[in-house]
Amino acid sequence: MKKRFALCATALLSLCLLAGCGGPKAPQDKAAIAYMEAVAKGDAATMAAADGYDQGEIDLSYCADVVAKRRAEAKFDILESTGDDASGYTVTVGATFVDLAEEFQKASEEQLAASLEGGDLSEDDIAQNIVKQLEKGGKETKWKIVLKLTKEGEGYRVDVSQCAGDVASIYSCGLKNAL
């Protein structure tokens, strides 16, 4: 039974690899995924090094820790990759991440209502209550991010000029405009 299972598992894995299910194979696809993973890790230096990235500092203030934790949940895969070394590549990345914008708005409104109703909440209490809601809330969001890559030496240069706002939204879990 174990031999039969191992044989079936090996055959299935081989079919997946032949069909292209084994993840990004081309170097430009690997570079695109590496860039998006750097965004998920909060690597601001890598983000800013991309051509067209001009979002400035994103102040996540008191909720930076929870945003970093939720941002790390992001997942990326290659949807399409076209081009060549001479003219450059267009790589479409599927991004799945937790968007906290609606949760932040809801939590802020609840805290404002509580303080207007005579609640004796300090600013720190309000901030802590919002962070608690952000830790457990949020909406799974799926986007297509189109990156432009050009061959540069042994690697690739990423251009996010057409999607810099989307990259910043993934970095901030949707809070870039809410804070």
Side-chain angles (χ1 to χ4, degrees), residues 39-122:
V39 171
K41 291 176 185 168
D43 184 348
T46 298
M47 290 172 53
D51 292 337
Y53 187 82
D54 187 23
Q55 294 296 309
E57 287 282 322
I58 299 173
D59 180 15
L60 298 174
S61 47
Y62 57 86
C63 60
D65 289 342
V66 70
V67 168
K69 179 181 169 189
R70 301 307 303 270
R71 179 178 58 228
E73 298 172 23
K75 300 203 180 343
F76 308 100
D77 61 320
I78 301 298
L79 301 177
E80 183 179 18
S81 183
T82 60
D84 57 41
D85 282 351
S87 62
Y89 295 91
T90 299
V91 180
T92 304
V93 178
T96 304
F97 69 102
V98 177
D99 189 333
L100 298 174
E102 288 179 21
E103 195 68 35
F104 179 81
Q105 183 68 32
K106 179 181 162 189
S108 297
E109 289 171 2
E110 288 173 4
Q111 293 305 306
L112 177 62
S115 66
L116 290 175
E117 291 175 3
D120 190 24
L121 297 172
S122 70

Side-chain angles (χ1 to χ4, degrees), residues 35 38-39 43-56 147-148 150 152 156-161 164 167:
Y35 179 81
V39 171
D43 184 348
T46 298
M47 290 172 53
D51 292 337
Y53 187 82
D54 187 23
Q55 294 296 309
L147 301 173
K148 304 287 184 183
T150 52
E152 189 172 87
Y156 291 86
R157 182 139 185 92
V158 178
D159 180 344
V160 295
S161 57
V167 169

